[in-house]
Amino acid sequence: MISQYPHLIDLNDYPVSWWNKLIELGHDIRLHPQRYTHACEGKIMATLFYEPSTRTQMSFQSAMIRLGGNIIGFDNPSSSSVAKGENLKDTTKIVSSYSDILIIRHPQPGAAKAAALTADCSVVNAGDGGHLHPTQTLTDLLTLHEEKGRLDNLNIGLCGDLVNGRTVHSLCKALSAYSGNTFVLVSTPNLRLPSYVKDIITASGSRYTEVTSLDEVINDLDMLYMTRIQRERFASEEEYLAEKDTYVLDKKKMKKARKDMIVMHPMPRVDEIANDVDEDERAVYFKQAKYGMYIRMALIMTLLESDTPTRLLSGTVRHKVNCQNPKCITNIEEYLPKSFTGSGDTLECEYCDERILLEH
Ligand code: NCD
């Protein structure tokens, strides 16, 4: 299924050259913001946030206002018709007819793609459950570009909740497209990176190692990406409590790190980075949040100027097969065409990337 609008659902739907152009534009906007104050005059951006957010939503809003455009939207679905039982398709259809670009965050993996299927304007995925978060990744790439001066040949440590952290999934997918990057995945056995992301790293020719101790590897890293344990994505409070507080980056640990290692975090931080790290000049997470606004300005401008259609579904629609990921949007919004890539007994859901085995 091809939509006539340019969407951003997954960064990997675009070539690396497109990401690089965005990064260059984001860099230019950062240096010369006054050149862009009329770039989106007369345009409207809608934000549909079905999940809490501070940075992503406000940086998008601030980005559009700084480009001269206007904003509408909700950040609490219970104050919209969603509370009356309106489905995603109807909400999207209607809000997209009021706006030129729609930014959606939703707790279900695959929801942004589902929204794009019916939207009458561009859709941007601002986080779909534990799946992907491409605009955080653009933020992270701009941060690396500004702070390290390169996106390749980096030894990248990712620490914390690697199974549920959508920012981690998108970032690993993106950085494995640049040459010479290696990944050090620091987590407990229960919170390891999903296999499909590890397969993407391997297929790109990059290498990864999985470890449980941050102390043992911190000295080797060019960048350390800390993440919060994603409490809301655990099946029970006990399971969350068992994982909480395993990794805390503090001043003492920072002493072991290289002088030029930077610390990034998509935020919000809970307690995985001690406050005493904030004064360390290697801690760039507050700057990172600001870079997010510049790269979102670049993204909004680029999508609004483009008329490139997006291929949303390219696999086979199988009405009788259900995605085995219970959280997948196709198991919630049942009118959606269930579409899978792959053949034989192993298929991959085109909404949430879950790999499923057909039973006979
Ligand atoms: C992240 C998210 O929402 O996935 N936050 C963000 O967008 N900056 C990370 C998180 O919630 O832990």
Side-chain angles (χ1 to χ4, degrees):
M1 193 253 160
I2 296 179
S3 158
Q4 69 178 99
Y5 301 99
H7 302 290
L8 175 59
I9 308 301
D10 179 342
L11 263 190
N12 292 60
D13 293 337
Y14 288 91
V16 177
S17 56
W18 187 87
W19 316 350
N20 290 339
K21 269 196 208 144
L22 275 184
I23 294 164
E24 286 307 327
L25 182 57
H27 173 75
D28 196 63
I29 295 173
R30 179 167 95 86
L31 297 184
H32 311 287
Q34 70 286 355
R35 289 187 190 160
Y36 298 90
T37 50
H38 301 291
C40 292
E41 234 158 44
K43 301 286 185 191
I44 296 179
M45 179 187 82
T47 49
L48 299 187
F49 275 58
Y50 292 77
E51 260 193 346
S53 168
T54 305
R55 265 150 303 275
T56 305
Q57 191 186 21
M58 287 197 199
S59 65
F60 261 116
Q61 292 175 336
S62 174
M64 189 53 159
I65 293 167
R66 283 167 192 263
L67 293 169
N70 290 298
I71 56 170
I72 58 170
F74 63 70
D75 55 11
N76 178 2
S78 59
S79 65
S80 78
S81 282
V82 175
K84 299 179 191 165
E86 185 168 73
N87 68 17
L88 182 63
K89 180 170 87 168
D90 293 359
T91 306
T92 307
K93 186 91 190 150
I94 290 158
V95 177
S96 66
S97 72
Y98 302 151
S99 48
D100 302 289
I101 184 165
L102 195 156
I103 318 297
I104 181 165
R105 168 171 287 192
H106 197 283
Q108 255 63 53
K113 181 169 279 190
L117 286 174
T118 44
D120 289 320
C121 73
S122 289
V123 171
V124 175
N125 181 3
D128 58 334
H131 185 216
L132 296 173
H133 194 346
T135 70
Q136 180 62 45
T137 296
L138 288 170
T139 301
D140 300 340
L141 295 182
L142 180 62
T143 306
L144 280 168
H145 177 272
E146 305 295 289
E147 298 293 326
K148 294 294 295 179
R150 66 184 199 275
L151 298 171
D152 54 8
N153 296 305
L154 292 166
N155 200 20
I156 300 143
L158 298 113
C159 177
D161 189 347
L162 309 188
V163 68
N164 296 304
R166 55 194 172 195
T167 63
V168 170
H169 308 163
S170 287
L171 184 59
C172 290
K173 286 174 67 175
L175 284 174
S176 58
Y178 293 90
S179 64
N181 287 330
T182 50
F183 299 86
V184 182
L185 308 172
V186 188
S187 77
T188 62
N190 287 335
L191 299 186
R192 285 200 181 129
L193 194 68
S195 314
Y196 89 90
V197 187
K198 289 192 268 199
D199 291 348
I200 292 171
I201 296 177
T202 308
S204 74
S206 303
R207 282 177 297 119
Y208 69 85
T209 48
E210 290 184 304
V211 298
T212 50
S213 161
L214 177 57
D215 278 285
E216 280 171 23
V217 294
I218 195 165
N219 181 38
D220 298 329
L221 305 174
D222 295 306
M223 187 271 271
L224 171 60
Y225 198 85
M226 290 298 293
T227 61
R228 135 188 109 84
I229 308 298
Q230 306 256 312
R231 182 182 204 153
E232 69 279 22
R233 304 203 199 283
F234 281 76
S236 68
E237 184 70 3
E238 291 71 56
E239 286 169 65
Y240 164 70
L241 292 174
E243 298 290 344
K244 176 183 176 287
D245 299 332
T246 312
Y247 301 104
V248 179
L249 182 68
D250 55 17
K251 224 173 175 169
K252 199 165 140 228
K253 280 204 182 71
M254 285 298 285
K255 287 212 174 91
K256 295 189 178 171
R258 289 189 199 155
K259 294 265 172 298
D260 63 351
M261 182 195 82
I262 59 168
V263 183
M264 292 171 53
H265 191 307
M267 307 289 252
R269 132 176 83 179
V270 182
D271 44 21
E272 58 281 355
I273 300 182
N275 280 287
D276 62 12
V277 178
D278 296 358
E279 290 92 59
D280 192 312
E281 59 183 28
R282 295 169 291 177
V284 301
Y285 30 89
F286 291 111
K287 282 196 212 168
Q288 185 184 353
K290 189 158 185 189
Y291 293 143
M293 180 182 73
Y294 298 122
I295 199 74
R296 289 182 172 106
M297 289 170 79
L299 176 67
I300 295 168
M301 276 177 65
T302 302
L303 291 179
L304 287 178
E305 280 165 13
S306 157
D307 51 13
T308 312
T310 314
R311 183 180 288 274
L312 291 171
L313 300 177
S314 53
T316 310
V317 174
R318 295 170 185 255
H319 297 292
K320 295 207 177 91
V321 180
N322 289 326
C323 177
Q324 287 160 7
N325 174 2
K327 294 181 181 164
C328 177
I329 191 71
T330 57
N331 289 318
I332 314 285
E333 307 258 336
E334 289 177 348
Y335 55 81
L336 288 166
K338 300 182 174 82
S339 184
F340 300 89
T341 54
S343 56
D345 287 347
T346 313
L347 302 177
E348 212 163 273
C349 173
E350 277 205 280
Y351 294 81
C352 72
D353 291 316
E354 178 88 357
R355 206 169 287 163
I356 66 169
L357 285 176
L358 289 183
E359 284 160 25
H360 294 286

